Amino acid sequence: MDGVAASGETVTAATALAGLILVYLGSLAASFGTFQPQEQKTVRPRYQKRAWVAFAGLAIALLSASLGVLGKWLPNECMANAAVIILLVAFAWGIGIALLTAQEVG
């Protein structure tokens, strides 16, 4: 299967992953908001680190989706293939986010 033919699936997977990461970011923000202002100063660095790592994963997933849309629209094989490769990076990034979170919890 060529990249252009897989673009639809790539866009679907990338936007689904971006949505999951966005939910994770919302959960982080909600969790951070439960702390009192004095406590927030203490936990802010840890929450900021997790939020920026998640934001980077969101950006990578959306880059993959964007390239997938453009690759199918133009149709550009190189762009579509790049979307698939970047999607794989986004999947790995998502696993990394989950692993870091699991390590912090226990």
Side-chain angles (χ1 to χ4, degrees):
M1 180 187 281
D2 63 354
V4 174
S7 289
E9 291 86 356
T10 302
V11 171
T12 301
T15 54
L17 180 59
L20 289 172
I21 294 172
L22 191 59
V23 168
Y24 175 75
L25 276 169
S27 173
L28 276 178
S31 176
F32 180 75
T34 64
F35 291 99
Q36 298 298 320
Q38 235 5 51
E39 296 170 320
Q40 285 180 348
K41 292 178 185 176
T42 305
V43 298
R44 183 179 315 266
R46 184 178 59 177
Y47 275 83
Q48 278 182 333
K49 175 187 169 193
R50 284 195 267 169
W52 281 113
V53 169
F55 175 77
L58 175 73
I60 293 167
L62 291 177
L63 174 63
S64 173
S66 299
L67 287 174
V69 167
L70 289 172
K72 186 150 187 133
W73 180 41
L74 291 177
N76 185 313
E77 185 75 27
C78 182
M79 205 175 287
N81 288 336
V84 173
I85 292 167
I86 293 171
L87 177 61
L88 294 174
V89 171
F91 284 154
W93 200 274
I95 291 170
I97 292 169
L99 180 64
L100 288 174
T101 303
Q103 285 177 337
E104 286 184 7
V105 171

